[in-house]
Amino acid sequence: YRSREPWIWPIIAAGILLSAGFAGGQESAPSCLRRTVLANVVDRQGLPVDGLRRDHFHASYRGKPVRILSVEMDSQPRRVVLALDVSGSMVGSPTKWKLARSAAAHLVALIPPENATALVIFGNSVYDKIELTHDPQEVLAHIRDIQDPRDKKGRVGGRSFLFDALLEALSMLHPPVAGDVIYLITDGGANTGKASRKQAEQALLASGARVFAFLFLDR
């Protein structure tokens, strides 16, 4: 877990040209498509790399090269939704829950105030949420207030509505904006809920939101 999160920094928007046939790189072919790809470029310390040009990038699609048309720095404010898993497998382990709660608080504390932050707390339902706000302290105070979800009425752990929570987080980012982020803290258990993995995947792809995860892997 890095102390500096890559998505906080400005991102690179690279315009690329894809040709369905890749025949001789013919830009005028009707099959050519233009796409904008967002990328974070950081050094080993997690700090942004400045002065990047299109010749610093190389891209391929299915083993075939694509042409980089332009590279631009996009420093507009971001929208971040933190999705915190409080299902039984998370809160059942005091060590795991303490680390998850600390990671959530640490993440929110790093978000600059010009960015909008939202919070989704989920287990076998979406228990609580805070809509997008430019006051990270509001979200931070809410996270710090959660000592043990089992101590509060209705928060009994249970199974995880992981994909439902992802869709809920996406609904808070409507309409979608380039650079939107969902940061998920979970152990990856998705064994209940109405939404399927395919539904969540399709919705994420359609929105363009990027998902980062603090993932607990049980031995």
Side-chain angles (χ1 to χ4, degrees):
Y1 181 67
R2 294 183 177 180
S3 60
R4 296 183 175 92
E5 296 303 322
W7 53 261
I8 289 178
W9 306 108
I11 58 178
I12 301 295
I16 64 175
L17 184 73
L18 301 93
S19 172
F22 298 100
Q26 297 176 358
E27 296 182 32
S28 59
S31 58
C32 289
L33 300 174
R34 291 174 183 261
R35 293 289 184 266
T36 298
V37 176
L38 303 181
N40 295 103
V41 184
V42 296
D43 61 20
R44 292 181 179 180
Q45 286 71 47
L47 298 174
V49 178
D50 296 324
L52 294 170
R53 305 183 305 272
R54 67 177 185 176
D55 55 296
H56 288 134
F57 293 83
H58 299 276
S60 63
Y61 178 71
R62 294 181 178 177
K64 303 293 184 179
V66 296
R67 182 181 177 190
I68 307 294
L69 298 178
S70 63
V71 172
E72 297 178 1
M73 183 73 77
D74 181 2
S75 58
Q76 65 179 331
R78 304 291 167 216
R79 302 189 302 174
V80 184
V81 180
L82 171 60
L84 178 59
D85 187 349
V86 297
S87 61
S89 59
M90 288 288 290
V91 302
S93 167
T95 301
K96 183 190 290 187
W97 172 242
K98 182 179 179 181
L99 180 57
R101 185 168 162 267
S102 296
H106 180 66
L107 176 79
V108 174
L110 287 172
I111 299 177
E114 63 267 21
N115 296 291
T117 310
L119 175 67
V120 172
I121 300 173
F122 69 96
N124 57 9
S125 66
V126 175
Y127 294 135
D128 203 356
K129 63 181 181 179
I130 296 178
E131 298 292 342
L132 287 167
T133 174
H134 286 278
D135 181 10
Q137 292 303 316
E138 178 185 356
V139 181
L140 190 59
H142 200 80
I143 293 172
R144 288 173 174 168
D145 184 55
I146 307 172
Q147 298 298 328
D148 185 339
R150 295 169 297 181
D151 292 339
K152 296 187 177 182
K153 185 178 180 181
R155 295 185 177 180
V156 292
R159 297 185 175 185
S160 173
F161 271 42
L162 176 58
F163 300 132
D164 297 71
L166 283 172
L167 292 179
E168 181 69 28
L170 272 178
S171 71
M172 301 168 79
L173 294 171
H174 185 78
V177 177
D180 282 344
V181 168
I182 296 174
Y183 198 97
L184 183 63
I185 299 180
T186 182
D187 58 5
N191 46 18
T192 188
K194 298 179 180 179
S196 67
R197 174 176 178 170
K198 184 176 181 180
Q199 287 176 311
E201 187 177 76
Q202 289 177 340
L204 284 168
L205 290 173
S207 71
R210 297 178 297 161
V211 178
F212 296 86
F214 187 108
L215 185 63
F216 292 86
L217 299 178
D218 293 323
R219 294 184 180 180

